[in-house]
Amino acid sequence: MMQTQVIRIHAHGDSRVMQLENHTLAAPQAGEVLLRQTAIGVNFIDTYHRSGLYPLSLPSGLGVEACGVVEAIGAGVTEFKQGDRVAYAGGAVGAYASYRVMPVDKLVLVPAGVSDEIAAGTLLRGMTAQYLLKQTFPVHVGQTILFHAAAGGVGQLACQWARELGAIVIGTVGSEEKAAVARAYCDHVIDYAHFSEHVREITGGKGVSVVYDGVGADTFAGSLDSLAMRGMLVSFGNASGPVPAFEPAILAQKGSLFFTRPTLGHYTSTRAELVNTAADYFYAVRRGFVKPEIGQSYALADVAQAHQDLALRKTQGSTLLRP
């Protein structure tokens, strides 16, 4: 038995509902390990859980991503040992904590050459980029793609990786400051205002093969208008709110388009899928295909400020909590 600090919510709402509490952890059971968490990732999905867009059973912890050191192992655990650096991105919420007991089937080993900060702050984003670019709509040499929020956590990694895969990358941003960041790895950087018109200009009227859209409501219509015939809109997030209801016939009217709403959990549902997806991302980091940026970090007690900054799009790159 040991004490840990955790962030919990007892009601859904704004950032004020998050409370720092002390909790007692039991020893790890069979198939589990005790982690001393060294860094915790903050993601948009955490704000959805907190607000109730994706409702949780209350009271609840928050957070789905962290890196830590194995402190103790439960019965039957052979894949990891005490002292191993491991990370996770997904599974049950509750990452906002100084110590945590985790099932081993949700953990991946962090290889040498990948820091705790990179593992904690970018594994979720990195695996998201991996499944989007290599599984949902596999990107090939010469294709032109549009990626929204190109200076954000997922956007930075995915746009760099897409360039490495040979794509021509158009990225949208919301400010000149973020445009300056995105120009380092996008072929074209455009503002959200009238972005579909800019896409048509860049592509000579053809449109793009795929739009990766984590913004949601504000960009949905323009994303459809940016696609080439038989192009795909990959709607993987709701930063501005959920996509509005639409008639499927609009996909035919705009060029026999495809629409999908994927989630990371469905692309890492088996142990092999999880390990392989994480390993591919870590390989990309170690080879320099992607250069992750940790933009800002906050103390665990300052989680409300982290959520506020994320919601207001004041952050750049990935955001960490420090236990």
Side-chain angles (χ1 to χ4, degrees):
M1 306 289 285
M2 66 172 301
Q3 290 292 308
T4 182
Q5 287 192 313
V6 300
I7 298 295
R8 288 174 65 81
I9 62 171
H10 296 263
H12 291 112
D14 63 22
S15 59
R16 293 172 293 183
V17 302
M18 295 182 288
Q19 301 177 19
L20 181 64
E21 301 176 357
N22 290 317
H23 277 262
T24 300
L25 280 180
Q29 301 300 302
E32 297 179 335
V33 301
L34 171 66
L35 297 183
R36 173 176 55 83
Q37 303 205 132
T38 55
I40 301 160
V42 179
N43 298 283
F44 260 112
I45 195 171
D46 304 347
T47 69
Y48 303 157
H49 287 151
R50 186 210 70 227
S51 69
L53 180 62
Y54 297 167
L56 299 171
S57 297
L58 300 174
S60 176
L62 288 173
V64 295
E65 178 182 42
C67 180
V69 177
V70 175
E71 294 280 289
I73 62 174
V77 174
T78 59
E79 191 171 351
F80 304 108
K81 64 182 184 303
Q82 189 175 9
D84 280 347
R85 288 193 311 137
V86 297
Y88 59 91
V93 297
Y96 292 4
S98 53
Y99 286 83
R100 192 178 186 195
V101 172
M102 284 291 293
V104 296
D105 62 0
K106 298 300 182 183
L107 303 175
V108 295
L109 196 64
V110 179
V114 178
S115 69
D116 290 8
E117 291 78 14
I118 293 299
T122 71
L123 179 57
L124 181 65
R125 294 164 171 83
M127 291 200 298
T128 298
Q130 199 279 348
Y131 89 76
L132 291 175
L133 298 174
K134 292 192 168 185
Q135 299 183 65
T136 303
F137 185 96
V139 170
H140 300 300
V141 173
Q143 289 179 324
T144 303
I145 74 169
L146 173 63
F147 210 103
H148 286 305
V154 175
Q156 287 194 28
L157 301 178
C159 291
Q160 291 177 59
W161 209 342
R163 283 278 294 272
E164 177 66 27
L165 293 170
I168 299 167
V169 180
I170 305 171
T172 55
V173 295
S175 69
E176 180 54 37
E177 180 184 11
K178 293 189 175 184
V181 173
R183 288 189 187 104
Y185 46 79
C186 290
D187 297 284
H188 305 274
V189 179
I190 59 177
D191 189 83
Y192 287 109
H194 310 295
F195 70 84
S196 62
E197 297 175 16
H198 294 306
V199 168
R200 292 291 173 180
E201 292 172 3
I202 292 168
T203 60
K206 294 179 181 179
V208 295
S209 301
V210 59
V211 177
Y212 295 105
D213 190 341
V215 176
D218 289 352
T219 52
F220 172 69
S223 291
L224 290 179
D225 288 339
S226 298
L227 286 166
M229 188 179 297
R230 299 192 302 276
M232 179 181 286
L233 172 52
V234 181
S235 176
F236 68 95
N238 309 297
S240 66
V243 167
F246 66 94
E247 290 294 331
I250 196 173
L251 301 177
Q253 295 165 7
K254 291 183 178 292
S256 293
L257 306 180
F258 296 86
F259 176 88
T260 184
R261 180 59 174 91
T263 67
L264 176 61
H266 293 148
Y267 284 84
T268 56
S269 61
T270 70
R271 179 66 181 160
E273 288 172 340
L274 174 63
V275 170
N276 291 338
T277 302
D280 194 26
Y281 171 60
F282 286 146
Y283 176 80
V285 171
R286 296 173 73 187
R287 291 295 302 270
F289 299 160
V290 297
K291 297 178 174 61
E293 176 191 2
I294 302 299
Q296 48 281 312
S297 63
Y298 304 77
L300 187 60
D302 295 329
V303 64
Q305 188 63 56
H307 275 223
Q308 290 167 19
D309 290 348
L310 193 67
L312 293 172
R313 300 185 187 179
K314 291 183 177 180
T315 61
Q316 184 171 294
S318 297
T319 300
L320 291 180
L321 295 176
R322 301 283 186 179

